[in-house]
Amino acid sequence: MKLAVIEGDGIGREVIPVAVKVLDAFGLEIEKVPLELGYARWERTGAAMSDQDIETIKGCDAVLFGAVTTVPDPSYKSVLLTIRKELDLYANIRPVKPLPGVTGVTGRSDFDFIIVRENTEGLYSGIEEIGPDLSWTKRVVTRKGSERIAEYACKLAKKRKNNLTIVHKSNVLKSDKLFLDVCRQTASAHGVEYSDILVDSMAYSLMMHPERYDVVVTTNLFGDILSDMCASLVGSLGLVPSANIGEKYAFFEPVHGSAPDIAGKGISNPLAAILCVKMLMEWMGQSRSLLIDEAIVDVLQKKIITPDLGGTASTTEVGNAIEKYIRDALG
Ligand code: NAD
């Protein structure tokens, strides 16, 4: 197994080394391929990434990614969008589950759901024209794109509570009717219980009744917005991991960005990046990944936590405590 490791910018350079140490504690046979991509590279060389980087990444099985700083300069090519497209990472997966003793804006901890976002089409098609008086972006929904994300969501639901919620806006965006129909048909074919809801109602419902949901499937933009909103349910952006999955490759990244306001201070929360390692190990079929949950519960109980969670521990102290727990448990 070959893993491309991209720290990126800002706190990506702090949390990814910690996450890699946690991964190393399992002693798995993983060849790591470090790559420098992102804003710092663009400042130094004029290119955030190159075609050769894409080829190197394609020679790996998976990617562990920190975060990159983005700037609105037309010459700054989006690293994330390029990789997602090149590796055809069609499913964006965000588990939304509270950690013990940590609550978010609602103060609730009785929920555990996963957002499955279509990652390649919708309003992020890239088909657009920008003019001084008229600008437009084409919203693309295909049967193939809808089928494969619906399949992914249904298979996931089968392993969980067998319940799928299809989020759409087909009353206004007629293109969503295809997405909705395909999701319904796929859920029926898999014997998955399903319901559907308009995205605006869903935003309200997720805040009021997050416990109602198991697997939530939706299109690209809606998934992007709802999943960031749901980070507020779990307490800190520093706690939320995500995976981008394709037929061949997988890409794991914390939801947070490069956090320039705290970068270099050694206080960034590494738990999202460490939970990315857990998702990577699950993708590899490694059941020992459950030790990561145990280790996180342990540091939370001992209050070895970073300032975003009200603690005083540094990024490294949290990482070291988790690594030690795992090494001790594995003997
Ligand atoms: P951000 O996620 O970097 O930070 C938002 C807030 O959350 C900040 O106050 C930050 O200190 C805090 N925060 C984030 N992660 C944290 C952690 N692990 N521990 C403790 N606190 C944490 O979002 P932003 O400030 O809007 O963006 C900063 C830069 O990151 C921008 O250039 C943006 O474009 C980029 N960005 C990149 C990605 C990515 O690479 N996937 C995602 C989002 C934003």
Side-chain angles (χ1 to χ4, degrees):
M1 149 84 181
K2 248 172 138 174
L3 178 70
V5 178
I6 303 170
E7 295 177 359
D9 301 305
I11 64 167
R13 296 176 177 210
E14 299 168 26
V15 296
I16 292 299
V18 165
V20 167
K21 280 180 80 183
V22 170
L23 178 61
D24 286 346
F26 287 92
L28 301 170
E29 279 202 14
I30 297 180
E31 182 190 341
K32 292 185 283 294
V33 181
L35 282 166
E36 191 214 347
L37 309 183
Y39 179 71
R41 154 99 174 257
W42 177 77
E43 269 202 319
R44 207 167 31 83
T45 67
M49 69 185 302
S50 67
D51 292 346
Q52 179 52 49
D53 295 320
I54 286 292
E55 289 315 308
T56 305
I57 292 169
K58 283 184 173 168
C60 298
D61 303 288
V63 182
L64 181 62
F65 181 92
V68 288
T69 299
T70 51
V71 282
D73 187 304
S75 75
Y76 186 64
K77 193 174 168 187
S78 168
V79 169
L80 269 176
L81 288 186
T82 307
I83 297 177
R84 276 184 195 157
K85 198 164 172 239
E86 288 286 337
L87 304 190
D88 196 22
L89 301 168
Y90 67 89
N92 183 285
I93 312 300
R94 288 222 193 149
V96 186
K97 184 179 172 184
L99 291 172
V102 186
T103 50
V105 285
T106 60
R108 306 176 59 142
S109 53
D110 57 344
F111 56 87
D112 174 4
F113 61 93
I114 297 188
I115 298 181
V116 176
R117 160 189 165 197
E118 201 293 320
N119 219 11
T120 58
E121 47 188 45
L123 255 179
Y124 295 7
S125 65
I127 307 170
E128 52 193 6
E129 264 183 39
I130 311 301
D133 302 313
L134 172 68
S135 292
W136 54 263
T137 302
K138 197 175 218 172
R139 185 172 195 271
V140 176
V141 178
T142 66
R143 178 169 294 279
K144 181 183 168 223
S146 303
E147 270 171 1
R148 64 181 182 172
I149 198 71
E151 281 283 332
Y152 192 99
C154 287
K155 285 182 184 152
L156 198 56
K158 283 287 208 194
K159 291 190 211 148
R160 294 170 51 94
K161 295 184 200 142
N162 201 38
N163 188 285
L164 182 73
T165 306
I166 307 159
V167 179
H168 63 99
K169 188 73 183 175
S170 66
N171 57 336
V172 177
L173 299 170
K174 304 300 179 207
S175 52
D176 250 5
K177 182 76 171 53
L178 175 59
F179 180 78
L180 175 59
D181 287 347
V182 168
C183 288
R184 282 175 170 157
Q185 287 155 11
T186 311
S188 292
H190 282 272
V192 171
E193 278 173 34
Y194 67 90
S195 58
D196 70 272
I197 181 168
L198 296 174
V199 63
D200 35 358
S201 302
M202 185 61 167
Y204 179 74
S205 186
L206 278 169
M207 287 294 123
M208 298 299 285
H209 304 291
E211 80 289 355
R212 286 186 183 166
Y213 300 102
D214 178 25
V215 176
V216 175
V217 67
T218 190
T219 50
N220 209 337
L221 176 66
F222 297 159
D224 193 2
I225 296 170
L226 290 182
S227 49
D228 264 30
M229 184 188 79
C230 289
S232 69
L233 286 171
V234 296
S236 167
L237 260 177
L239 298 176
V240 197
S242 77
N244 295 271
I245 310 283
E247 299 295 344
K248 191 165 174 208
Y249 302 101
F251 178 101
F252 302 87
E253 55 167 337
V255 166
H256 62 74
S258 58
D261 55 336
I262 56 166
K265 295 184 179 163
I267 55 166
S268 55
N269 190 337
L271 294 184
I274 290 170
L275 285 166
C276 287
V277 167
K278 183 187 168 216
M279 291 182 91
L280 164 71
M281 289 178 66
E282 282 168 355
W283 178 77
M284 291 167 66
Q286 282 285 341
S287 57
R288 282 186 296 170
S289 64
L290 290 173
L291 262 183
I292 293 183
D293 285 334
E294 280 180 31
I296 289 179
V297 170
D298 185 61
V299 295
L300 291 173
Q301 276 169 353
K302 291 179 177 155
K303 298 280 178 219
I304 307 172
I305 48 178
T306 43
D308 56 314
L309 298 181
T312 53
S314 68
T315 311
T316 319
E317 283 165 345
V318 176
N320 287 346
I322 289 181
E323 186 193 349
K324 180 173 181 324
Y325 184 97
I326 291 166
R327 288 194 187 276
D328 289 350
L330 292 173

